[in-house]
Amino acid sequence: MASMVANGNRDGRQGEALVLKGVDPETCMIVFKNHWAQVVKILEKHDPLRSNTSSNMAALGVIGLSSGGPMRFGGPIPGDEASAVQNYVEHMLFLLMEEDAGQAGAMGPILEFVVMENVMERLFLWSLRRQFTDDMKLEQLKMYEMIVGQARQPLLHHKPVLRPLMMLLSSCSGTAGPEVEAELVSLLNQLCCVLAKDQSVLELFFHTSEDQGAANFLIFSLLIPFIHREGLVGQQARDALLLIMSLSAENQRVAQHIAENTYFCPVLATGLSGLYSSLPTKLEVPGEEWHCLHREDWLQMPTLVQFLNSLEFCNAVIQVAHPSIRDQLVSYIYNGFLVPVLAPALHKLTLEEVMTTTAYLDLFVRSVSEPILLQTFLSFILLHRHENVHILDTLVSRINTPFQLGTVSLALFQTLIGLYCEDVMLQLILRYLIPCNHMMLSQRRVVKERDFYSVSAAKILALTPSCCSPEHSPPPLRQLDSILWSKGTDNSPNTGTMETEESFLEEDGSGYSCVIGSEIYLDVNYLHYLYNARLGISSCTRACQVWSAPYDGEDPPPEEGRQAQTTTDPAPTNQLELEWDDSYDAGPVVSPEAATAESSRPPQPPAAEPPKHIQEMRRTAIMLVKGSYIEESDFQDDVMVYDLVAKKDARDTVNSSEVIKGSKEVKAHVEDHNSNLQSPLATEVGDDLMDQYEELIRTLGSDEAGTGGSSPVKTVDKEFRNPVVTPMEEDEVDFSSFSVDTPELEKQHLSLFGTKLRSGSTKSHSVPFTGPFVSVLLSRLENMLDNSLHVNLLLTGILAQLAAYPQPLLQSFLLNTNMVFQPSVRSLYQVLASLKNQIEQQASTKKDFPELITSAQHCLLARESSLKGQDSRECSPPEAGRMMKSSPPPQPKTISLARTEVFATVLFTEFLKELAAIAQEHSILSHVPMEE
Amino acid sequence: TYLNDFWEKGRSDGEEQSGEQQQQQQQRASPARPSFGKKQLPSIPKNAVPVTKPASPAATAQLANGTHASYGPFYLEYSLLAEFTLVIKQKLPGIYVQPSYKSALMWFGVIFIRHGLYQDGVFKFTVYIPDNYPDGECPRVVFDIPVFHPLVDPVSGELDVRRAFTKWRRNHNHIWQVLMYARTVFYKINTMEPLNPEAAVLYDKDVQLFKSKVVDSVKLCNSHLFDQPKMDDPYAISFSSWNPAIHDEAKERMFTHKRRPEDHQKGLQVSGLSWVKPGSTQPFSKDDNPPQS
């Protein structure tokens, strides 16, 4: 049997099948019986009990399984006898497989014989009796895989077939080698396929395993440990589980069993934590321009691929499974992965680690498609508080970091805004706009007004710097096509131009052309902006149809918004704890009265110190800047930070032994860091987690082998509540020992980043404020001339994304240049106007500015056309489509990207066009009901 | 709806509109009309490379007055588009308009009078919008056939609109109001300062004769209904007699259209997300949110 089955000799089998075709069933039956008689002879010769009753055999089987060791009765079995049995069985199985079902679905005679004589069970016991090695298991598994997959009549309906299969399966769990595991999963997968096709087998799977004292629905439980496996085995296991998941959607019993009696959901969710811990804690960033993990990035990282596979599996389970399983899984992901693992990871101590986590989070949000899972991630981001600070607030404040963390954070928000999710937009911006506090009272009616005559667009375009106005740039930089705009004072001008046009069409061959005339020259590239704006606004408007309210200044009513603001903002103290508090510098200065009003509120917990992780983050950043704000590469590596910390420690002559211990650890960390991407601390965390994970699997195994346990999930639950919190805390303890006062550094921090550290503490919402997100975006935009090109691309991309939203509150705030805002409110238009002034100043002081502008335009054009080539980029930010479109220009004089003010000027001009185009399209689009 | 669909097509659906078709339309359009010869901006398909013609020195000189000049046409175009979307929104009873192919400043229209003296009248008209819109005069309304009416010039067919809009005020006055007015004059007859004194006098002195003259006028107008449009423009409104092969299906679609919004929403996978309970301003306030803790 082994020889044939193990080799999977298909040709041989087919040959046999052909031979069998002509043979009549009776002959087959006789052959089968003869073979069996021979087998039985050998079997009985070696049976110590000489018993034929199946109940005894079953009992033996169980004993055999529980002891787990090789089973031998009555001395060793001679090899020739073993192979004789093998040969007979091989033939018998073929006969069984090839047998057709009897009339009206009755068993064929061979199957009936197999059932009556308990053939399969006896064969299983026979292999137990011999040395039950992995080879033996493999042989048996393959035997079942073959007959289950290829039999012409249903076999699993019969207990004498199913029971030994179950015994075999449970004997293979746990200890087997990789080959057996692969075969086991393959068989389980096949069984799940049978289940999916024929649900009547399901009942039997439940009952049979009960008889055996094993856990109910064994095939499911056996698959669980393979959920997070990489490679084919993992994939097969996940496919099989998905089959059962979709079964659960229709079958209450399966759903209930999985949700209440198995560890499926906890294993799946906390497995994410385990896989997460093996991800690099610091990414090797390809360059300064890098801001998010593209497909080609993460394909290079096997651990990340594995994580994403599991995340994708969660996504798929949530998609198909019964609601009870779905809800449980989502809850475990939230409480077992997001809160205990991702939240602390987002608050690690170094900029690089935090940046890496942010990039992961961005990737995860982009990878998830099932709304409920997405909602879990979003509610974590929007509502979860880590050390009393909303994750969202922390993320928003990081936009303002002058490091790559800021860029990566921007990319995350680009992803979030691109979801067209009402909850996200509500928390980020809309809730600050609903009360309409940001505008003068008389302006409320303007919110819904339409800009009939493109007044806003005209005002925005009027900010175009003189050095960039259309007349100054020749084609191809600016495609000034003359579009016929004849005033029609005479009757015949068209005839002439028509001819020209036709010849143009012929030359062009594309069938499209702008009409060529002679009167006014238009910026054709503006047409592209209009086109893109139209696409953007329409898709956004369509997406927002599922929203609960129009956000037009009336619904939700401004009064309600004011209440909501006070209730959603749990404590004003939150805001001072933000890492990069200068995001609030745009906020209003609070009058003494307002401050008093604040103090009359119910007392808040004293906001003496920001949370440790924030202090630490600040400190590392300060160190970096103070110690050597020299080269970018220094930021790639935390060695410098730790060095500084250690030096400072030595100076401070702290004699706490803990600190010394700590600094040693840091040194070790640093050394290790040099050789390895992963810090030992992170590995520790990971190991710990993996231990717990394995512990769980062990618990699972023992529970199953035992009585089944009254409520296994609950006990596991405890273990799983805080799987990672403890190691994370340890992580922080090491570093918090350095938290000696650093007052001078704090002061320098203030001057370095222009931070008003406590400005958030007295924030009151009765004072007009458009929210931290808008505020921080505008702050960064204000520095456009100093920002690098890619930061500006992201920044303007996000603002354009926001401007495309059809909600009048948002539109009027961002695009309506006629709107009169409260003096303390900074508007986009104001920032743009101040940028124009800065640019004009630069242009007037620098002689070669026009020349540089031309070079930068050429450079950006080249960049644009090279981007067009690689459209496969997974997260394609709008930037790809928003720069000037044209054929590649002649090779211009090169310009260094370090001339940020030049690139910013070019980008600024394009951004104005983009915004103006959006404003114009809004005036004709969003007020027309979509369905009409 | 129909008009809107058309408009969408005209504006942005460049890919569907083949170059050949465009060419034909333009050729047909060649005998240009006086005073309103603005070319509508053709749609620019995403990948089309616009034909570039180097600016002539003369034209460049014209640009010297600043950035605005380059964008002025866009502002006018969009102002008119905005007006047009407003007209659609108003759902004026019995009035249909669509801008001409050649110029956004010229709109073709038809008005159906459903009761009153002019009952069963179907009058085609053209709206002419001044090219300094919205800062110029009131748009003009000219009927293809001069209807017998005190306020309609018996020769040119122009309706006296100016009496209702003595001064055209931007933001205040809109083209739909002009169309509305053009409808009202057929239900509420005004004989003050008439453009057609004969009609005014008859209405005041001999209503019966006035009525019979109106009936004749309506008959005349309706008898010319199936004539070729006066303007040779692909978007001019033209009537044809009922052809079941073409019109039955269209009619069917118009009648089943009412059910569309729901179907539309079901069929189309909406990409947006919301867990906000209507009436709430709290995120994740919907009841069916799975618990997170």
Side-chain angles (χ1 to χ4, degrees), chain A residues 580-600:
Chain A
W580 301 92
D581 216 26
D582 47 347
S583 59
Y584 294 94
D585 63 356
V589 183
V590 176
S591 63
E593 297 93 78
T596 339
E598 191 78 21
S599 62
S600 66

Side-chain angles (χ1 to χ4, degrees), chain A residues 422-423 450 481 521 921 932, chain B residues 51 59 78 85 91 274 284:
Chain A
E422 182 176 9
D423 308 63
R450 190 201 303 220
D481 288 5
Y521 283 76
E921 287 293 338
E932 290 193 338
Chain B
V51 180
Y78 274 74
T85 54
K91 296 189 170 74
S274 170
F284 308 111

